[in-house]
Amino acid sequence: MNFTLASEFESVPHAEPRQPWKNTKLTILRSVFSFTVAAVLAALIAQVTPLAGRLGWFVAMAFTFPAVMAVVAYKRGSRAMADQMVTGIVLIGFTSVMIPWVSIVATVISRGLKAFYVGFLTTDMLVNQPDDPLNMGGVSHAIVGTLIQVLLASVVAVPLGIIAAIYIVEIRGRGAGVVRFFTQAMSGVPSIVAGLFVYATVVVTITHKFNAVAGALALAILMLPTVARTAEEVLKVVSDDLRASSQALGASQVATTFRVVLPTIRSGLITAAVLGVARVAGETAPLLLTSQYFVKFNTNIFDGPMASLPTYIFSSLGVGTDNSVARAWAASAVLLTLIFILFTIARLFGGRNRKSH
Amino acid sequence: MQADAELEVSIDIPEHRKLQVTQGTPDRIFRYIITTGAYFSLAVLAMIAGFLLYRGFQIFSDFGLGFITGAKWDAGSGDETAPAVFGVAAMLVGSLVIAIMAIAIALPFAVISALFLEYYAPLAIRRFLISILDLVAAIPSVIYGIWGYAILMPHVVGWSKSLNSWFGWFPLFDVPAPIFDRSPFVAGVLLALMVLPITTSVAREVYSQAPRDQIDAAYGLGATKWGALRTVVLPFGKSGLIGGAMLGLGRALGETIAVYLVLNLVFKINLQVLASAGGNVASMIATRFGEAGPYELRALMAAGLVLFLLTLVVNALATLIVNRSKVQ
Amino acid sequence: MTLSLVGTVRRGSFFHNIDLRVERGEVFGIVGRNGAGKSTLLHTIAGLIGLSDGELSVNGTVWDNPSSHTWLEPGERSCGVVFQDLRLFPRMTVMQNISFGLRSRGIAQHEATDRATVMMQSVGLDVSYSSRNVQQLSGGERQRVALARALVLQPEVLLLDEPFTGVDQHSLGGLRNLLKEVVAEFSGYVVLVSHNQTDIETISSRTLMIQ
């Protein structure tokens, strides 16, 4: 008899595997086999029933795949059959969840490209009617309007969001729980209510006219919770040792926060801001009540309506002719691209931030 | 010895001092500013309620409880012959019907997606799929709306016809006329899709905190993967899932533009979800806002207040439930 | 007739080399300090961790061999585990806990209940406990539930991970005697690990110290 049990670096905690289950070659082979059989069966079923097209095949698949998975496990008993059936349901279920989103992106891009020409990004709608041919007019005014209003919203919401996060994480005041709770509750304010509120306060009481600042304020209300929550998560990553060592050297809390804590998480704060922007860049309802839509770029942010991509889409849809709806799709593609770019930026900064810790 | 004696003399043990953190003036100002700023969100919430109440107060005093219980919304002709009548009952019922339908459809898919992401997806693509989920959560509602109208609705109309022909005897699936587009069902399916990301990500987060020890124990005693998930993960995540569903419900109640685009606004309490008539408070405000006179604007403010309070309660409850289930 | 485990377990950048042979009927005790890999060893036999190379076989049946793609899931292994810190299912009753393994193997409800009831009596648990929630039990009683949960499977291999931790002093004696009895009647393989040498020596027929 012979026994050794030697481990290297044994006192260091192990990187635990996430799950105890093993995907062996055999289980993967079984799944692939079941998938193939189920696919063929589903095609046959789609032939003999009213289920038509790729979607009809997929619906049939949603039944055949879990069933075949279960049948393949027949020899291993009823528990194994139930397990395999659930595996089939989970795989099919997740795939079916992805279908609409793939469809949204694919439809917006393919329909958007039909109405798209280079000038679409550089001209406005001042001299064109929504129903004009698709090689005239564009969304330059809406792009600029969206950027201006989102920028103005950021000027308000980003500092306030970061302040809320600083209060919760750095100051740890008595009201930290309350502030966090109400900031989270604020994220549930319906966007139309934010618009109605700004309309009731700013537009009716002060400016008496639709304007871009009102639109930006409505967006700021919706943006604040996203910034606050992301900033809070980022601030929590900073180790207390860093704060303690700064204060041990005699630094005040102000200096610790602004010279030590915030600089180390700069990229994380940028992520927070960008996610906030992505959250509101596509908001339509609040802008309909505050900055409305106008056919050309408005240089005065305090006076008169200002276009934005979402309200451009909305008003083009409202016109309802073939060409105006095509314009709406093209503008949707522009808006979706803008949001995806913002998201990628946020991820890039977030990734860099994580690496530095 | 002499050195010791000297030492004894020289050592002067101070009085026990209380450790005091002196706060400089800059720090006090800093704390003051941050604290004030932090309470801003609270102030905004209070101001929203306050201003909407202030602007809509006349409506509440004119119509009283009838504003909540009445289904008729008519700006009138401005004179004695046809006085204005405002009630949000039809829209409130519509909001609830659509939102509950959306959650009922979304919840099973959210559970499946969360289980997939946490326990079935290969580790290599897991992070990627989770960021996809974050990304689709940011798709603007106007884009959901335009896609819902152009692509989703024709499909849902087909499903509605089948539902109606098989289950038409059931009052909810009956229709007064065979018109199935722009129905509450269409809006419910679209909203299900829109609330899926947030519900899934809450569920996933809760499931990820299920005790690994217990999962191991179940598996080690011979349970299958599904057996372990059913024994340990699903019971553990139950309350978190309810919280996530309620967060989704809050979102669905307040959705405006997507509902506006796929739902036919009719001021009548309608529970026949396949029929082409319905509405919700949010989209009604957007619809009526453009042509409303001063008196109707007040009514819209009052409707906004009702919607605000409803979503606030739902969201506050959801937040409480989710936070509590995270603490466990 | 042996239980043989020879090979390597990898977890991230750490690895354990294992070479273990246990004869049938033997009670094999392993003593070692915390972190020496005792639990890892038991989890490998139970099927919670796979070997990265080598082979695990019991009575000549291969349970795990990566090079020949042989892998039996825990449910297919004739193996009962008493986990360190027990890991009873907190939302379940005593009966549900004990019959869990049987139900997982597809045994019908009434038969599982019958067998679990018999097992409860033989580990000294009153039958009236069966509908109690496990969180209401004392440390010693919980330990008995965990033992019953493993034994009710009538396993070929019984794995005991620190069976005396979390047990209060006055039920320790009774539990030690119970375990002695159980182990003496047990005809398969028993592998028992602990950080406490005296615990092990009173029960096991062969003891090994590891670093």
Side-chain angles (χ1 to χ4, degrees), chain C residues 80-118:
Chain C
V81 198
V82 175
F83 289 95
Q84 186 175 7
D85 62 39
L86 307 185
R87 306 187 182 178
L88 300 180
F89 302 118
R91 288 176 180 78
M92 291 187 179
T93 63
V94 171
M95 176 53 72
Q96 285 168 325
N97 262 283
I98 297 176
S99 57
F100 182 86
L102 295 173
R103 299 286 292 134
S104 294
R105 284 168 173 74
I107 288 162
Q109 179 84 56
H110 62 93
E111 195 196 333
T113 308
D114 289 349
R115 282 169 64 176
T117 311
V118 172

Side-chain angles (χ1 to χ4, degrees), chain A residues 17-19 83 103 184 254, chain B residues 27 118 134 147 212 226 319:
Chain A
R18 285 186 49 76
Q19 304 148 9
D83 177 58
S103 164
Q184 282 176 342
V254 195
Chain B
D27 265 2
E118 214 42 53
D134 290 343
W147 175 84
R212 177 58 213 275
W226 167 236
T319 309

